């Protein structure tokens, strides 16, 4: 079996954000002989671009995806936290052992920096954040002009 070459991976990466290219991406994912490492890489890029539909397609099409380690899901989750709350929620649903404290509570801090009220509330609802990390997140929110966000919490 032929492995997918680098140029095809770059081609896929170019199309991740555009929903009108979903059939093209689906065809490549379903017809190419992908290693689990290539598949994980594509899955993480899909999460980075916030494409929930394609993430679900990869997960449901390739049996090996359900067996990848928590660290890989944690990385994908971090990408999703920067792009799409529904994708982040879905990843947490399929892999509840995702490490929310990874990289010093990156997702919470990023949500604070971006003044993403919905993401902050959701993350806070699924994990307890140490007070010191909470303070850091709020300081980042203030620096980025999110004083109204803090008042609303």
């Amino acid at each position: 079996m032929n492995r997918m070459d680098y140029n095809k991976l770059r081609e896929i990466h170019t199309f991740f954000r555009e929903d009108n290219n979903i059939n093209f991406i689906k065809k490549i994912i379903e017809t190419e002989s992908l290693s689990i490492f290539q598949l994980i890489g594509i899955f993480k890029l899909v999460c980075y671009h916030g494409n929930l539909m394609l993430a679900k397609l990869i997960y449901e099409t390739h049996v090996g995806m359900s067996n990848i380690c928590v660290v890989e899901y944690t990385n994908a989750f971090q990408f999703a936290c920067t792009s799409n709350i529904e994708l982040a929620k879905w990843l947490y649903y399929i892999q509840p052992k995702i490490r929310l404290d990874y990289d010093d509570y990156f997702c919470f801090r990023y949500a604070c920096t971006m003044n993403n009220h919905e993401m902050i509330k959701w993350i806070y609802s699924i994990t307890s954040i140490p007070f010191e990390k909470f303070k850091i997140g709020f300081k980042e929110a203030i620096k980025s002009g999110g004083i109204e966000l803090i008042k609303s919490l």
Side-chain angles (χ1 to χ4, degrees):
M1 293 189 165
N2 293 334
R3 294 267 165 127
M4 177 182 280
D5 66 16
Y6 180 73
N7 289 332
K8 285 187 181 177
L9 284 174
R10 285 185 54 188
E11 197 173 297
I12 291 172
H13 181 68
T14 305
F15 288 91
F16 278 137
R17 284 195 174 175
E18 300 175 23
D19 284 339
N20 59 338
N21 292 317
I22 199 77
N23 289 331
F24 170 78
I25 297 167
K26 182 178 177 181
K27 179 182 166 207
I28 289 177
I29 289 170
E30 291 176 343
T31 60
E32 293 293 335
S33 177
L34 299 172
S35 73
I36 191 67
F37 301 108
Q38 290 170 318
L39 197 59
I40 290 168
I42 292 171
F43 185 74
K44 287 197 269 187
L45 287 171
V46 165
C47 291
Y48 176 78
H49 290 294
N51 195 324
L52 174 61
M53 184 170 62
L54 192 51
K56 284 182 174 181
L57 173 76
I58 293 169
Y59 182 80
E60 292 164 1
T61 304
H62 295 280
V63 176
M65 287 302 295
S66 61
N67 297 322
I68 66 172
C69 70
V70 173
V71 172
E72 299 295 354
Y73 279 111
T74 299
N75 292 144
F77 180 78
Q78 283 187 304
F79 290 141
C81 284
T82 67
S83 60
N84 182 340
I85 190 170
E86 295 307 317
L87 177 56
K89 287 178 178 180
W90 175 74
L91 284 167
Y92 188 73
Y93 172 77
I94 64 169
Q95 182 47 270
K97 292 181 180 178
I98 284 175
R99 292 202 40 223
L100 299 168
D101 64 339
Y102 189 74
D103 195 11
D104 206 22
Y105 292 87
F106 169 82
C107 292
F108 177 75
R109 290 184 298 107
Y110 185 84
C112 289
T113 300
M114 300 309 292
N115 297 308
N116 187 334
H117 187 251
E118 186 180 4
M119 184 71 78
I120 292 168
K121 285 176 62 175
W122 177 67
I123 292 171
Y124 192 67
S125 75
I126 60 174
T127 189
S128 60
I129 298 169
F131 183 69
E132 285 304 311
K133 304 303 176 194
F134 206 78
K135 283 185 359 187
I136 291 168
F138 276 2
K139 284 179 184 176
E140 291 179 17
I142 290 170
K143 278 191 234 176
S144 62
I147 195 74
E148 293 304 314
L149 170 79
I150 293 171
K151 287 179 183 176
S152 71
L153 295 174

